[in-house]
Amino acid sequence: MSRYISPVLYVLLMLVGCLAFISIAGVRVGVFDPVTGFALLKKSVIASLVLSLLAVISLIVCRKECNAATARFFYLVLVLTVLYSAMWIIFYVQRSGLPEINDITTDMVTPPAYINVNFLRHSGENSLSYHKEWASIQKKFYPNVKPLLTNKSKEVVFQKALKLVQDNGWVLVASYPEVGLIEATARTPVFGFRDDVVIRLMTTDNGKTRVDMRSCSRVGKGDFGVNAKRIIKFMSSLSESLNSDQMKRLRFLN
């Protein structure tokens, strides 16, 4: 019986692999939208779990008649499908407790406004109007999302922020040095979900430069914490970049 089961498991394993590849590659190249791709990925995980069960059943049913090579193949199918399923299940469980919000900002009173991004979004995508009721939720789940204050001039900070946008590989939508505004589009690593970013620089009353940032997903009710993570990482990198210049000058003076 094992000689009949092995080809079936092989074909099913290839189909699961193809479904996983199509779900991700299809979104990346624009064949279908990210929501459809995510739905296909879920189906590939379910199919992988079913295939894991079939591999276990095959090992039990054919334990007496299958040779060592066949048994190794059954174990290989089991290991591959379990690892694949576990990877995505862990990913989902780790983020399942996060809120269903998709618009994160360092300024929840007067969020940075998008200008050119408005013309890039389709009617079926998320609105760019900020939901004030999300402010309390953001404070609870993402307390580290904060603006950056620096003694550096607005012009210096703007150039640093613009370079960091480019270094991150985001698509620059618009930049206005005179008003201190940068708009860009970032993409998530796997599915390539597009999230729009706006960075606003202002000079405070005491002469410091304040950097605010907003990151908003184009699709999906929740963002699995991606927008908050993006802002925190950007602010941290910008702060390090600004401080490194100061340290270099101090070393030069010494």
Side-chain angles (χ1 to χ4, degrees), residues 108-229:
M108 290 167 278
V109 178
T110 310
Y114 294 96
I115 301 176
N116 295 273
V117 167
N118 291 278
F119 302 104
L120 299 178
R121 292 201 171 192
H122 304 302
S123 57
E125 295 176 333
N126 293 330
S127 170
L128 288 171
S129 298
Y130 184 70
H131 299 267
K132 293 292 185 182
E133 62 272 17
W134 286 359
S136 58
I137 301 174
Q138 179 184 312
K139 288 178 181 178
K140 177 181 178 182
F141 286 90
Y142 310 119
N144 294 327
V145 175
K146 298 177 181 179
L148 174 66
L149 286 173
T150 177
N151 292 320
K152 303 288 184 179
S153 68
K154 184 177 176 181
E155 293 75 19
V156 170
V157 180
F158 184 89
Q159 293 303 321
K160 289 287 185 180
L162 185 61
K163 184 179 184 303
L164 189 56
V165 166
Q166 295 167 341
D167 291 344
N168 284 332
W170 300 348
V171 177
L172 183 65
V173 176
S175 64
Y176 301 100
E178 61 278 5
V179 296
L181 192 71
I182 300 172
E183 288 182 284
T185 299
R187 299 193 72 178
T188 57
V190 180
F191 278 99
F193 285 95
R194 286 182 172 85
D195 300 331
D196 293 307
V197 172
V198 57
I199 302 164
R200 182 184 67 196
L201 281 69
M202 297 187 302
T203 303
T204 63
D205 294 337
N206 56 3
K208 292 187 176 182
T209 300
R210 169 171 170 150
V211 184
D212 282 292
M213 182 173 174
R214 182 180 174 190
S215 185
C216 179
S217 302
R218 291 192 185 184
V219 296
K221 292 182 179 180
D223 61 5
F224 293 108
V226 172
N227 287 306
K229 184 178 180 180

Side-chain angles (χ1 to χ4, degrees), residues 29-95:
V29 300
V31 175
F32 40 76
D33 61 271
V35 175
T36 302
F38 198 65
L40 288 175
L41 181 67
K42 288 182 179 179
K43 292 179 180 178
S44 75
V45 173
I46 295 172
S48 182
L49 290 172
V50 172
L51 189 52
S52 299
L53 180 61
L54 291 176
V56 172
I57 294 174
S58 300
L59 283 168
I60 295 174
V61 172
C62 304
R63 65 183 182 279
K64 293 182 179 180
E65 62 172 278
C66 67
N67 54 39
T70 303
R72 284 196 297 269
F73 174 71
F74 289 162
Y75 278 116
L76 177 62
V77 173
L78 178 60
V79 170
L80 289 177
T81 52
V82 167
L83 287 176
Y84 174 75
S85 302
M87 177 183 68
W88 288 111
I89 290 173
I90 292 172
F91 174 86
Y92 178 78
V93 170
Q94 288 178 336
R95 294 160 176 78

Side-chain angles (χ1 to χ4, degrees), residues 7-22:
V8 173
L9 290 183
Y10 178 79
V11 171
L12 292 176
L13 183 63
M14 292 299 102
L15 289 175
V16 170
C18 288
L19 184 59
F21 175 78
I22 291 172

